[in-house]
Amino acid sequence: MTFVPLFACSFVLSCEPMRGLSKQDLLQIWEIGLHQHPVDRALTILAAVLPALPWEELAALSMGQRDGYLLAAWEHTFGDRLESYAECPQCAERLEFPLSAAALRASAQPEEIEPVQGWTVNEYAIQFRLPNSYDLAAIVACADPARAHDLLLSRCVLEVTRDGQSIATDALPATMVSRIAERITVCDPLAEVLLNLECPACARRWQTQFDIAAFFWSELTATARRLLREVHALARAYGWREADILALSAARRQFYLDMVS
Ligand SMILES: [Zn+2]
């Protein structure tokens, strides 16, 4: 089994102070997120760890920036290690492997990401911006991936000129569309973290995407459910209030849980 992040962070997190999530935060985010789309769940997490940033600014972060912040939030809340797993597409063997949130972020290139970028290739001059949460929300309803791709392109490509003449995005040749998509990925690499995996049982090699937003939500859900079960056990045994039980250190809470089990 091997894993290699093909793309890594290429921006520097801003100096906004970030805090880890408390047990109360985790429960509150879980409660709110239950009724949200995954795009909004990620922003709900970020709003809790970056309270100084308004929602609109968080939603305008490029997807790579958003995921970089989520990785930092993970570190502040759960530590560096991400216990990942994947299932072999050939023999269904379950692969478990750790990732490092710090390593994913630390391979950042020094320059900060510019949300709007200019790029000249061949005879084309292109102005584009990096996709953000607003763009993701706009394509959520698209059942057709090709339609979603076109919509995303039309939102993010601001201007294309060829020999000084303006060109509509839907008039671009397919090769240029592909190159622009590749360019966006290069400019915002954390938006797509790909892992190279090899099955130890059948030696099948494949590539899979690591999605920190989904990973974070999954862990947050598991933690929230565990905390609520612990509150239930201790409240029933001792009559303590939820807030008082959550305020206990993990060691004390576990001690009392052992006593009542
Ligand atoms: Zn296999």
Side-chain angles (χ1 to χ4, degrees):
M1 172 193 63
T2 58
F3 59 90
V4 181
L6 296 184
F7 303 112
C9 177
S10 75
F11 69 96
V12 179
L13 286 177
S14 79
C15 296
E16 286 297 331
M18 179 176 282
R19 64 183 187 85
L21 297 170
S22 68
K23 293 186 280 295
Q24 289 84 349
D25 291 331
L26 290 169
L27 286 173
Q28 191 175 9
I29 294 169
W30 172 73
E31 205 171 1
I32 296 170
L34 279 176
H35 308 290
Q36 288 182 317
H37 187 275
V39 175
D40 289 323
R41 283 177 186 161
L43 297 177
T44 300
I45 294 170
L46 290 188
V49 295
L50 294 166
L53 290 183
W55 185 273
E56 293 75 18
E57 274 187 46
L58 295 172
L61 292 171
S62 76
M63 300 321 298
Q65 286 175 315
R66 182 202 74 169
D67 286 359
Y69 277 116
L70 285 173
L71 284 166
W74 176 274
E75 282 181 77
H76 280 77
T77 304
F78 297 112
D80 178 50
R81 205 172 162 94
L82 301 135
E83 296 292 351
S84 306
Y85 70 92
E87 193 172 276
C88 173
Q90 186 159 282
C91 74
E93 173 88 355
R94 181 183 164 94
L95 279 71
E96 296 181 359
F97 50 91
L99 295 173
S100 161
L104 288 174
R105 290 199 303 118
S107 44
Q109 296 168 14
E111 74 272 14
E112 290 192 37
I113 280 190
E114 294 294 335
V116 176
Q117 308 223 1
W119 185 45
T120 303
V121 57
N122 299 338
E123 63 272 40
Y124 292 93
I126 302 149
Q127 284 270 321
F128 65 91
R129 63 173 181 77
L130 302 175
N132 57 34
S133 295
Y134 289 119
D135 301 312
L136 230 58
I139 64 171
V140 158
C142 287
D144 177 11
R147 167 77 187 123
H149 184 270
D150 291 347
L151 180 58
L152 194 61
L153 192 76
S154 68
R155 290 176 62 93
C156 293
V157 174
L158 306 176
E159 185 181 27
V160 181
T161 56
R162 184 184 184 188
D163 298 329
Q165 299 295 314
S166 185
I167 295 178
T169 54
D170 56 7
L172 283 168
T175 51
M176 273 308 298
V177 171
S178 298
R179 294 193 69 174
I180 292 171
E182 288 169 8
R183 181 72 184 176
I184 287 174
T185 303
V186 168
C187 292
D188 200 16
L190 256 194
E192 187 181 55
V193 174
L194 298 174
L195 308 176
N196 286 331
L197 300 174
E198 182 176 342
C199 177
C202 72
R204 167 74 181 267
R205 294 183 178 187
W206 78 101
Q207 202 171 56
T208 191
Q209 187 171 349
F210 175 70
D211 180 352
I212 180 60
F215 189 92
F216 205 128
W217 175 253
S218 174
E219 182 64 26
L220 188 150
T221 297
T223 303
R225 288 175 178 273
R226 177 178 54 75
L227 285 171
L228 290 176
R229 281 195 296 272
E230 292 176 1
V231 167
H232 168 72
L234 294 180
R236 189 165 65 172
Y238 297 111
W240 295 339
R241 296 183 314 135
E242 181 189 69
D244 293 335
I245 295 169
L246 292 176
L248 291 170
S249 69
R252 284 191 187 193
R253 203 168 61 251
Q254 189 56 51
F255 182 88
Y256 289 121
L257 285 167
D258 292 342
M259 295 292 288
V260 302
S261 64

